[in-house]
Amino acid sequence: MNTSTPEDLKAMMRDLEQRKKELTKHFDEFELLQKEIQHLNRRATSGDAASIRKVTNLTQAFPNGFSQQQQQILGKAKAIEKNFKTIKNQFQEVEKNTKSLKSNKKVQETNSEKNEDVINKPKRKKIKSFC
């Protein structure tokens, strides 16, 4: 059976944290794009020709609008965040249990050594009493 060491778990946690940071960066970029689109729409309504052209291109690319995609992405983001928190909590529990098991093993080894000391004490010869 392949067992993970605490160092393996810590490496996995670091990897997950790095992936979470990358996802957060992508979501931040997504929000920035949304703000830019809102800004384009405002400029387009005030008659800016370049903004009108860009908004028209976006409308052609997404004829049903952005709201459905936006809701899907935000839903996925919330699910991913929840999963990361669950995984983090599970790894922390595993690490805590691993430390507890190591602690119990040390106690058992210490008790075992004490028991061996008691068992391995040399026996004294019985002395007969003549009184």
Side-chain angles (χ1 to χ4, degrees), residues 11-27:
M12 288 171 48
M13 282 296 294
R14 284 191 298 273
D15 182 56
L16 284 173
E17 285 295 325
Q18 181 62 32
R19 291 173 190 251
K20 182 180 177 184
K21 286 178 187 177
E22 290 175 19
L23 279 172
T24 301
K25 179 182 170 186
H26 290 297
F27 286 125

Side-chain angles (χ1 to χ4, degrees), residues 21-124:
K21 286 178 187 177
E22 290 175 19
L23 279 172
T24 301
K25 179 182 170 186
H26 290 297
F27 286 125
D28 290 344
E29 290 173 3
F30 177 74
E31 287 178 358
L32 181 63
L33 287 173
Q34 285 181 309
K35 289 178 183 178
E36 288 180 25
I37 291 170
Q38 290 172 353
H39 182 69
L40 273 176
N41 282 328
R42 280 192 300 256
R43 287 179 32 202
T45 56
S46 64
D48 182 20
S51 297
I52 292 171
R53 184 176 35 82
K54 290 179 183 179
V55 168
T56 303
N57 289 340
L58 285 172
T59 304
Q60 289 173 352
F62 298 95
N64 296 328
F66 294 108
S67 62
Q68 184 179 7
Q69 287 81 7
Q70 181 182 9
Q71 292 303 318
Q72 287 176 345
I73 289 173
L74 292 176
K76 297 290 182 185
K78 288 179 183 179
I80 288 170
E81 184 176 355
K82 181 181 175 183
N83 290 338
F84 271 118
K85 286 180 181 179
T86 302
I87 290 170
K88 184 176 182 178
N89 290 339
Q90 288 173 345
F91 277 130
Q92 288 172 341
E93 281 295 316
V94 167
E95 185 176 13
K96 187 173 82 172
N97 290 338
T98 302
K99 287 179 181 178
S100 176
L101 287 174
K102 283 184 178 181
S103 175
N104 288 340
K105 187 176 180 181
K106 286 180 183 178
V107 169
Q108 287 175 350
E109 287 174 356
T110 303
N111 289 340
S112 176
E113 290 171 3
K114 288 180 183 177
N115 289 340
E116 287 178 9
D117 289 344
V118 170
I119 294 171
N120 294 331
K121 283 187 179 179
K123 293 184 179 179
R124 291 189 203 151

